[in-house]
Amino acid sequence: MINEEMVRNKLYDKFIKPTHTKKNFIGIEIEIPIINLDKKAVDFEIVHQITQKFQKHYSEFKTDGIDYDGNVFALKNPNNDDIMCYDCSYNNIEFAMGREKDLFAINDRFSDYYAFTKEAFEEHNHTLTGMGINPYRKYNMCTPIPSERYLMLYHHLKSFKDYKNLHMYFHDYPEYGMFSSASQVQLDVCKYDLVKTINIFSKIEPIKALLFSNSVLLDENKNVTCFRDALWEYSTHGVNPHNIGMYDVDFKNLNDFQSYLESLNIYCVMRDGAYINFPSMNLLDYFSHESVRGEVYSNGEYKQIDVKPSINDIEYLRPFKFINLTFRGTVEFRSICTQPISDSMSVAAFHLGLKEKLDDLDELMSGDTSIYQKGFTATELRKLLIQDEIPSFIDKKEICKLCYDVVDLAATGLKERGIGEEVFLNPLYGRVKNHTNPGKNIISVMHNNGSIETIINEYGKLTNNI
């Protein structure tokens, strides 16, 4: 039988031990909606043609994933670890950039890949745009990539109807991974800064909502600037609220953080190259069982199967926190929507600059009274600040100053790196000055009977003011 000490030691080896080596790299993943301008479903045959065209043009990219139908869904450059792939479905393209020391190298390669791919799609009256929810989602086919991982993931999300006695609301969008897009950043973190990094960055999630929200669910929830938050929270990923969203606790030390890891849920493992789904359950509870009844995909259908827990199953522990500690010794920031393409590097620049000024950021947020010290948690504040209108109890001038001070602190951190990366923060200064963000702009255009096609075009432009 696997005991709690064994689980704790394995969690340490998987999550904490990789932070022992001090590094300072940056990794970026940008998911981007694909849009058929004919207002029809994205043509997957065109997607596959463009994948082949991309690989032919960038010959250093090698096939890294083939679906059950024989189509390539992932390409990887072994020289720099850049990946071009499709996320959840062929409606969503992703550029995962290999780790680098500076943002300019990442930006140059991303811009090149994006420009080539967008031009290729536009030859077929499709396009790409920088939005957190696909504005043409209602036209698309909601089918996952036929691969082990994505079939498992969709099966898990569709299983919400099986949770009969759970006092929780589930939304009706189990396919949300096929129409929502994020901009994620991974930064190396050392063991001694880990707890401080998570604690302090958690405090600015409400500010990030104001600066970066860009996920408007058109025709349904038009006054929410970041509906992505609800898509995660009210899905089967949120059966255990510790697996998603924010922490809402200040960790005292690494032991305290490890206890939080033990409180997470697990919902899948692999055996013989196949994923096995089972009802989401606490990690320690899972390891207390002799066997767990799950389902495995085989020959086009799901079959029941019993799985015996193995300590190595911690490999398949997949929380989706706003701030995740990964197996790579990195902190992954996951709460930001895909940005207008010209502003793509602002996300990484923001986090990278603030990581250099953790103590100053802590002092700034600890003394704040514009949003804090009013009886609300950080989670509650974020939920309020993803609304189109700022609540009346918050002074708009005060919160504007707080946003400016946070962005300015990020700029200071980047200036101290001496590379010039602070230029990537310019879009954020504009947003603070104009009291807006990309999601609010979408809502404003729609309220004034504007065209969503205007937004699609504008947010898809790759402009370079550097």
Side-chain angles (χ1 to χ4, degrees):
M1 183 69 70
I2 298 169
N3 59 42
E4 290 187 18
E5 183 180 1
M6 294 170 65
V7 174
R8 193 171 185 83
N9 290 339
K10 191 67 172 180
L11 285 170
Y12 185 93
D13 289 343
K14 277 293 180 183
F15 288 98
I16 310 297
K17 194 172 182 179
T19 67
H20 288 195
T21 303
K22 193 169 183 178
K23 308 179 292 293
N24 199 25
F25 286 101
I26 311 156
I28 297 176
E29 300 171 24
I30 302 175
E31 302 162 2
I32 302 169
I34 303 170
I35 293 170
N36 185 340
L37 294 171
D38 290 328
K39 294 187 177 180
K40 297 178 181 178
V42 169
D43 189 330
F44 292 169
E45 287 304 315
I46 290 173
V47 171
H48 302 321
Q49 290 174 30
I50 289 172
T51 306
Q52 294 172 10
K53 187 173 184 178
F54 185 97
Q55 187 171 23
K56 184 176 181 180
H57 182 78
Y58 299 100
S59 58
E60 63 273 23
F61 276 77
K62 309 302 179 186
T63 299
D64 197 50
I66 299 176
D67 69 23
Y68 292 157
D69 296 329
N71 296 305
V72 175
F73 67 86
L75 299 170
K76 184 175 183 177
N77 183 342
N79 300 321
N80 57 20
D81 290 335
D82 286 353
I83 297 173
M84 186 278 258
C85 61
Y86 298 93
D87 184 69
C88 290
S89 79
Y90 289 114
N91 298 310
N92 208 24
I93 194 169
E94 176 180 331
F95 297 100
M97 311 303 296
R99 66 180 194 169
E100 286 286 353
K101 287 283 190 179
D102 74 86
L103 288 176
F104 289 103
I106 294 175
N107 183 61
D108 288 346
R109 297 205 306 273
F110 168 74
S111 298
D112 187 43
Y113 301 152
Y114 177 82
F116 175 86
T117 308
K118 186 171 189 283
E119 182 179 346
F121 271 109
E122 290 182 344
E123 290 174 1
H124 301 275
N125 209 35
H126 285 54
T127 194
L128 306 177
T129 192
M131 300 175 74
I133 289 182
N134 192 319
Y136 280 9
R137 65 184 179 87
K138 64 183 179 182
Y139 305 119
N140 285 339
M141 293 182 290
C142 293
T143 54
I145 293 171
S147 69
E148 271 298 318
R149 179 188 175 196
Y150 292 121
L151 287 170
M152 173 278 296
L153 184 58
Y154 189 40
H155 190 62
H156 170 59
L157 291 168
K158 287 194 300 180
S159 70
F160 69 92
K161 295 177 182 178
D162 297 335
Y163 292 87
K164 302 295 185 184
N165 299 315
L166 194 65
H167 298 291
M168 173 185 171
Y169 159 78
F170 288 104
H171 60 62
D172 295 323
Y173 311 103
E175 74 283 2
Y176 72 86
M178 304 177 208
F179 63 75
S180 65
S181 304
S183 179
Q184 298 166 4
V185 179
Q186 290 195 29
L187 301 177
D188 285 315
V189 62
C190 71
K191 175 183 175 182
Y192 303 104
D193 287 336
L194 173 58
V195 168
K196 180 197 293 188
T197 299
I198 292 175
N199 284 343
I200 296 172
F201 269 101
S202 293
K203 295 177 183 178
I204 63 166
E205 286 297 338
I207 299 302
K208 287 161 66 174
L210 284 176
L211 291 172
F212 295 103
S213 288
N214 189 26
S215 296
V216 180
L217 193 70
L218 298 174
D219 302 323
E220 295 187 45
N221 286 272
K222 294 184 288 187
N223 295 315
V224 177
T225 59
C226 186
F227 197 74
R228 282 184 62 256
D229 286 10
L231 291 174
W232 286 93
E233 181 176 356
Y234 301 113
S235 73
T236 50
H237 287 314
V239 167
N240 179 352
H242 278 201
N243 276 52
I244 49 89
M246 296 163 61
Y247 293 96
D248 270 341
V249 294
D250 269 343
F251 296 114
K252 298 179 180 63
N253 48 44
L254 278 175
N255 284 335
D256 197 17
F257 178 69
Q258 270 200 259
S259 295
Y260 196 95
L261 293 178
E262 293 169 11
S263 76
L264 298 174
N265 275 24
I266 188 170
Y267 63 87
C268 70
V269 296
M270 285 194 92
R271 294 290 185 271
D272 300 321
Y275 273 108
I276 299 171
N277 284 91
F278 44 81
S280 180
M281 67 178 68
N282 172 257
L283 191 64
L284 295 178
D285 187 29
Y286 169 74
F287 284 116
S288 71
H289 287 77
E290 287 289 342
S291 66
V292 172
R293 175 62 59 90
E295 292 181 303
V296 62
Y297 184 78
S298 177
N299 297 321
E301 61 180 0
Y302 284 90
K303 298 179 180 178
Q304 290 195 333
I305 186 174
D306 290 328
V307 58
K308 182 179 180 180
S310 161
I311 192 63
N312 292 324
D313 290 339
I314 284 175
E315 186 80 26
Y316 306 103
L317 176 63
R318 286 191 171 89
F320 294 100
K321 304 292 294 179
F322 283 174
I323 305 173
N324 259 353
L325 180 62
T326 76
F327 298 156
R328 305 177 186 91
T330 63
V331 172
E332 181 181 48
F333 300 95
R334 300 178 44 87
S335 65
I336 291 183
C337 317
T338 295
Q339 298 296 287
I341 298 301
S342 61
D343 302 347
S344 291
M345 293 302 119
S346 66
V347 181
F350 180 81
H351 291 93
L352 181 62
L354 291 177
K355 180 173 172 282
E356 301 289 324
K357 307 296 291 182
L358 275 180
D359 290 332
D360 294 305
L361 181 61
D362 189 25
E363 182 179 353
L364 175 64
M365 298 309 298
S366 296
D368 172 67
T369 57
S370 64
I371 57 173
Y372 285 108
Q373 302 181 41
K374 296 180 183 293
F376 293 88
T377 66
T379 291
E380 291 167 339
L381 287 168
R382 181 171 170 102
K383 288 184 176 182
L384 291 170
L385 294 176
I386 60 172
Q387 305 297 318
D388 186 29
E389 292 293 331
I390 291 177
S392 59
F393 71 86
I394 294 177
D395 185 288
K396 291 183 180 180
K397 289 184 179 179
E398 289 183 1
I399 198 172
C400 181
K401 183 180 185 305
L402 177 61
C403 288
Y404 181 87
D405 288 344
V406 172
V407 176
D408 226 25
L409 194 58
T412 301
L414 293 173
K415 288 174 184 175
E416 291 177 0
R417 284 167 54 85
I419 305 174
E421 296 157 313
E422 61 273 12
V423 70
F424 292 114
L425 294 174
N426 287 343
L428 303 187
Y429 283 110
R431 295 176 190 180
V432 175
K433 179 180 178 181
N434 296 315
H435 303 273
T436 192
N437 58 46
K440 287 189 176 185
N441 289 342
I442 294 172
I443 291 171
S444 177
V445 168
M446 302 313 292
H447 279 177
N448 290 292
N449 297 316
S451 165
I452 193 61
E453 285 71 32
T454 302
I455 295 289
I456 291 171
N457 179 58
E458 188 64 29
Y459 283 15
K461 288 180 180 178
L462 179 64
T463 55
N464 198 332
N465 299 317
I466 298 169

